[in-house]
Amino acid sequence: MKWSALLSQQRLRPEEEERTDLRSGFERDYHRIIGSSSFRRLQDKTQVFPLDSSDFIRTRLTHSLEVSSIGRSLAGNVAEALLDTGADQEFLPEMKLPMTEVLECAGLIHDIGNPPFGHFGEETLREWFEQHLGELTFGGEKVTEILTEEERCDLVRFEGNAQGLRLVSALHFPGIRGDMNLTAAVLSAALKYPVSSTEASSCAKDAARKKPGFFASEKDHVRRVAEITGTGARRNPLAYLLEAADDIAYATADISDAYKKGFFRYPAFLRLMRERGAGEREMELLEALCAEAEANEELRPEEYAMRRWLACMQDFLIRGATERFLSEYERIMNGTFPEELLSAGEEGKLLTALKRTAYDTAFVSRSIFKTEIAAHTMMTFLLDHLVPAALSYDTGCRPGLMEEKFLEMIPADYRQVYARQTKGLPSRERTAARIRMVTDSVSAMTDTYARDLYRELNGMPFA
């Protein structure tokens, strides 16, 4: 792979107005993403704690901004090192800024397709289709016999990453031009998993093949991006940096949020991290920061030390990811490096300890279970009614009384996208698109909107 292609500002659809715009293609991408309603909706989507009223706790929006910032830093570090060492003679000084801009934009959209209620929302969607897809019928035929294998897998292996690509490729506007029309470089960098739902496997040894990165509906889009950037079926090198930025942001943020919400105290955190394999040097630094805070008579010395320590750990992980990228540069550039950047060394031990501590103290807590049970109830109710209603849509058959009313819950924008994408297709072949109309609609919901819609449809008073 070559940086001249990986940093291509070419778009899949040419734009006349770009000829007179003095901004770079990536600056235009940035402004387009920031100004989109899909990006704004992330402010009311769960990162870890669903429907939390605190303004301290992170949302998908604040998380995406943090990933974008860390990704830009990682790109800058790598670019500077390549120029200083001359490790790649084809990497030129004028490529440094574009590389940082691409990672900045990719970080903003890396979670843009996630449904409400965080990763639990993804799991609920997958579970619903695993349990009910075989029960659905259309025209006396089982839906599973109408759909292709890839279309079936897209549903039972629903993935927010793939939905994000679909969103920026087809759902940005409901009209003829439904895409955000981002540059191929940004789309490629954001494609952490360049495989379809039938190709991905959670048991895969290659980290790039563990999850689906795109749905069947966007297969041609992905093929064009790969042709422009020269990645083929390989992972874009910048996707490794995006993945590392995501890991760094959420591993440190989850600890910060869990501590703030009182899921663990400082002494317990020290013990848990050591038990889970964190390096002694890192833990001694935390103890030294706490002692320093106490000596300086800080009001809340343990909280002060935790904040400073997490910032230091972010720096430590950023350096580690940079060094691993450079040490594995040849394999990364030829598409044969199968690991994550932060999967080894002291950085890998620290990251694992942070994730396990957050999981054991917060993710399996009673309060999280209660909100996840509520989220499951709400999303299951919506899918129970919306999917069967959508199967009768645009078929010439009059929907049932309640089906007709539930169809009105699907925004007109998504019905217009459906009409655009299925124009000229026989009714039977539009079945997958009808179901996608529901997953598109449900995925776009914010936590609050999904909760309020559930309450309204069940005649429940608002709190």
Side-chain angles (χ1 to χ4, degrees):
M1 290 178 276
K2 298 182 181 296
W3 288 112
S4 54
L6 292 169
L7 299 174
S8 172
Q9 297 188 39
Q10 182 179 338
R11 303 179 190 278
L12 274 63
R13 174 170 50 79
E15 295 182 343
E16 289 294 327
E17 61 269 25
E18 198 158 22
R19 297 176 183 176
T20 57
D21 197 320
L22 297 180
R23 295 174 297 172
S24 73
F26 306 134
E27 287 177 304
R28 287 167 60 81
D29 283 354
Y30 180 87
H31 297 142
R32 197 168 294 183
I33 295 164
I34 288 287
S36 70
S37 58
S38 300
F39 184 72
R40 289 196 301 277
R41 278 196 291 267
L42 295 177
Q43 67 186 312
D44 190 18
K45 289 197 176 190
T46 295
Q47 174 60 19
V48 176
F49 303 102
L51 299 168
D52 194 280
S53 58
S54 170
D55 59 3
F56 176 87
I57 302 303
R58 289 165 174 85
T59 64
R60 283 285 169 192
L61 180 67
T62 49
H63 168 70
S64 296
L65 291 169
E66 289 175 345
V67 172
S68 176
S69 175
I70 294 171
R72 185 178 181 112
S73 294
L74 283 168
N77 286 354
V78 167
E80 198 62 43
L82 290 176
L83 293 171
D84 285 347
T85 62
D88 187 340
Q89 295 298 315
E90 294 186 356
F91 188 85
L92 306 176
E94 58 266 29
M95 292 177 173
K96 179 180 176 180
L97 179 59
M99 184 191 279
T100 62
E101 291 176 330
V102 168
L103 257 297
E104 186 173 40
C105 291
L108 293 178
I109 64 171
H110 86 283
D111 271 351
I112 204 167
N114 278 37
F117 310 117
H119 289 301
F120 188 76
E122 286 179 288
E123 293 172 7
T124 301
L125 276 162
R126 288 193 286 263
E127 180 190 74
W128 193 93
F129 284 109
E130 285 172 357
Q131 294 180 353
H132 299 288
L133 191 60
E135 303 167 0
L136 301 174
T137 60
F138 170 70
E141 216 179 341
K142 282 192 171 184
V143 166
T144 50
E145 295 175 358
I146 299 173
L147 303 181
T148 65
E149 182 187 3
E150 222 169 9
E151 289 168 341
R152 291 194 299 271
C153 286
D154 286 348
L155 296 170
V156 299
R157 302 194 66 191
F158 178 89
E159 175 62 41
N161 289 284
Q163 184 64 25
L165 180 67
R166 174 166 171 75
L167 190 153
V168 299
S169 303
L171 307 178
H172 181 51
F173 289 123
I176 296 173
R177 296 179 175 179
D179 60 343
M180 229 181 248
N181 201 25
L182 301 176
T183 57
V186 168
L187 292 173
S188 181
L191 190 65
K192 291 198 292 182
Y193 309 102
V195 290
S196 69
S197 58
T198 55
E199 297 167 322
S201 170
S202 58
C203 300
K205 293 182 180 179
D206 189 342
R209 304 182 68 86
K210 287 185 177 296
K211 296 180 181 181
F214 58 90
F215 297 137
S217 51
E218 282 67 58
K219 183 183 290 187
D220 288 343
H221 206 84
V222 170
R223 178 183 55 77
R224 285 280 291 119
V225 169
E227 288 174 357
I228 294 169
T229 57
T231 57
R234 300 166 296 183
R235 178 188 258 194
N236 186 315
L238 295 179
Y240 289 95
L241 297 178
L242 176 63
E243 181 176 59
D246 191 16
D247 278 344
I248 294 168
Y250 84 73
T252 53
D254 289 354
I255 291 294
S256 175
D257 288 355
Y259 181 79
K260 188 70 175 180
K261 287 183 69 68
F263 282 100
F264 56 79
R265 299 293 182 189
Y266 173 79
F269 179 72
L270 286 172
R271 175 178 56 79
L272 289 168
M273 287 290 289
R274 285 190 165 108
E275 288 175 356
R276 283 150 183 74
E280 192 56 36
R281 183 176 59 178
E282 286 74 48
M283 303 319 298
E284 288 175 355
L285 172 61
L286 176 55
E287 291 177 307
L289 289 171
C290 190
E292 177 188 315
E294 289 173 345
N296 292 333
E297 298 183 348
E298 291 287 343
L299 184 61
R300 291 183 292 275
E302 292 174 352
E303 182 179 334
Y304 171 87
M306 285 287 290
R307 284 204 309 267
R308 281 194 59 191
W309 182 78
L310 286 171
C312 290
M313 293 305 99
Q314 278 201 355
D315 292 343
F316 174 63
L317 292 170
I318 287 171
R319 287 196 302 272
T322 301
E323 290 168 3
R324 188 85 188 281
F325 188 93
L326 295 169
S327 67
E328 297 290 352
Y329 186 72
E330 185 175 345
R331 288 205 293 167
I332 287 172
M333 292 302 290
N334 64 31
T336 60
F337 182 62
E339 302 173 32
E340 298 176 7
L341 293 179
L342 293 170
S343 61
E346 291 302 309
E347 296 84 4
K349 291 178 183 178
L350 173 65
L351 195 66
T352 299
L354 288 169
K355 290 179 180 179
R356 289 180 60 193
T357 299
Y359 180 83
D360 293 342
T361 57
F363 289 19
V364 294
S365 65
R366 190 168 185 267
S367 62
I368 288 290
F369 287 160
K370 286 168 65 177
T371 54
E372 287 182 342
I373 290 169
H376 186 274
T377 300
M378 290 183 267
M379 289 191 67
T380 298
F381 170 83
L382 293 172
L383 292 167
D384 281 346
H385 292 85
L386 289 173
V387 175
L391 287 174
S392 65
Y393 180 72
D394 187 37
T395 61
C397 300
R398 182 177 174 83
L401 176 64
M402 293 308 295
E403 287 178 346
E404 188 173 21
K405 297 181 187 304
F406 269 96
L407 281 171
E408 288 300 315
M409 299 300 104
I410 298 175
D413 284 359
Y414 295 109
R415 283 178 271 160
Q416 189 173 345
V417 169
Y418 162 84
R420 185 184 75 242
Q421 294 185 338
T422 61
K423 187 176 181 179
L425 290 178
S427 182
R428 185 177 185 274
E429 293 180 26
R430 295 199 294 268
T431 305
R434 294 186 185 101
I435 301 175
R436 278 201 303 270
M437 185 170 64
V438 175
T439 56
D440 289 342
S441 178
V442 172
S443 296
M445 293 179 182
T446 63
D447 294 8
T448 301
Y449 180 84
R451 178 196 64 189
D452 291 350
L453 180 61
Y454 172 82
R455 287 176 172 173
E456 284 183 289
L457 297 180
N458 283 279
M460 297 166 63
F462 287 81

